[in-house]
Amino acid sequence: MKDKISYFRVGVITRTHGIRGAVLVFPTTDDPMRFHDLKEVILRKNKTELILHPDKVSMQKGMVLLHFKEYDNINDIEPYVKGELYISREEALPLEEGEFYISDLIGLRVKCDDGRSLGILSDVIPTGSNDVYEVKPENGKSIYVPAIKDCILSIDVEAGEALVHLLPGMEEL
């Protein structure tokens, strides 16, 4: 069974905004509007880890303008520029049937429906229309499998396995 990651990164502080301690955050979550509902975030930078409480949130040109209860001065928050914001798994958005957190997919053992072991799922690449799973075999080149029903037959996060079907031309062993 694969260990589950307990925290998810939802953003990165890009710069300060104004003199009252607000920051602009580049969202790394699928739904930046979720910042409006967050009660607390974990700020990590270098070896520092702080629990902060957002009290003002707005959107600004694809970025999140965020203010924390704990800071009201640019000089106090400035050292945390380029810091990453995390939330606990419990605060993550609920998943629909057949959806998975990317962090739960990375590291799955990937098997082909013909019985072969293909390798380890090493990356999930968003392409716009569908994701693509990069599978790294022990030896050889990576195999790229589109995350579509014809190719992804099953995913069992608890067992740490994914079963796939390779369409003609997808690999050459």
Side-chain angles (χ1 to χ4, degrees):
M1 182 169 117
K2 184 176 174 290
D3 289 336
K4 289 186 177 183
I5 292 177
S6 299
Y7 294 93
F8 299 112
R9 187 177 74 168
V10 293
V12 178
I13 297 174
T14 60
R15 64 182 178 89
T16 58
H17 182 83
I19 62 170
R20 302 211 187 268
V23 292
L24 274 175
V25 174
F26 175 78
T28 58
T29 175
D30 287 345
D31 183 10
M33 295 304 287
R34 73 174 338 279
F35 279 88
H36 289 281
D37 299 323
L38 294 178
K39 302 292 184 234
E40 71 178 30
V41 294
I42 299 162
L43 169 63
R44 293 181 182 159
K45 183 170 181 194
N46 301 327
K47 294 182 181 187
T48 301
E49 187 170 297
L50 304 168
I51 295 175
L52 300 176
H53 302 89
D55 65 352
K56 294 177 189 166
V57 179
S58 62
M59 306 312 270
Q60 190 174 69
K61 298 180 183 176
M63 302 285 276
V64 180
L65 182 58
L66 195 57
H67 184 271
F68 301 109
K69 290 179 185 176
E70 292 80 2
Y71 294 98
D72 62 1
N73 184 301
I74 187 174
N75 296 320
D76 296 335
I77 195 70
E78 190 162 37
Y80 302 111
V81 169
K82 296 188 182 172
E84 298 178 322
L85 300 176
Y86 290 83
I87 59 167
S88 67
R89 180 177 282 271
E90 291 76 30
E91 284 201 63
L93 295 172
L95 297 172
E96 299 291 325
E97 181 72 28
E99 290 183 330
F100 303 93
Y101 296 116
I102 290 174
S103 62
D104 291 341
L105 297 175
I106 304 295
L108 294 180
R109 294 180 308 279
V110 180
K111 296 184 178 183
C112 190
D113 58 351
D114 65 10
R116 291 178 294 151
S117 175
L118 296 178
I120 302 295
L121 197 152
S122 62
D123 198 8
V124 176
I125 304 162
T127 65
S129 57
N130 58 266
D131 291 340
V132 174
Y133 297 165
E134 179 180 10
V135 179
K136 287 194 177 183
E138 242 180 72
N139 299 317
K141 294 181 179 180
S142 291
I143 300 166
Y144 296 92
V145 182
I148 58 174
K149 289 181 184 179
D150 289 346
C151 295
I152 308 302
L153 303 179
S154 67
I155 292 177
D156 187 340
V157 172
E158 293 301 317
E161 293 183 346
L163 181 64
V164 302
H165 172 74
L166 298 180
L167 299 172
M170 285 181 64
E171 70 158 323
E172 294 180 15
L173 294 176

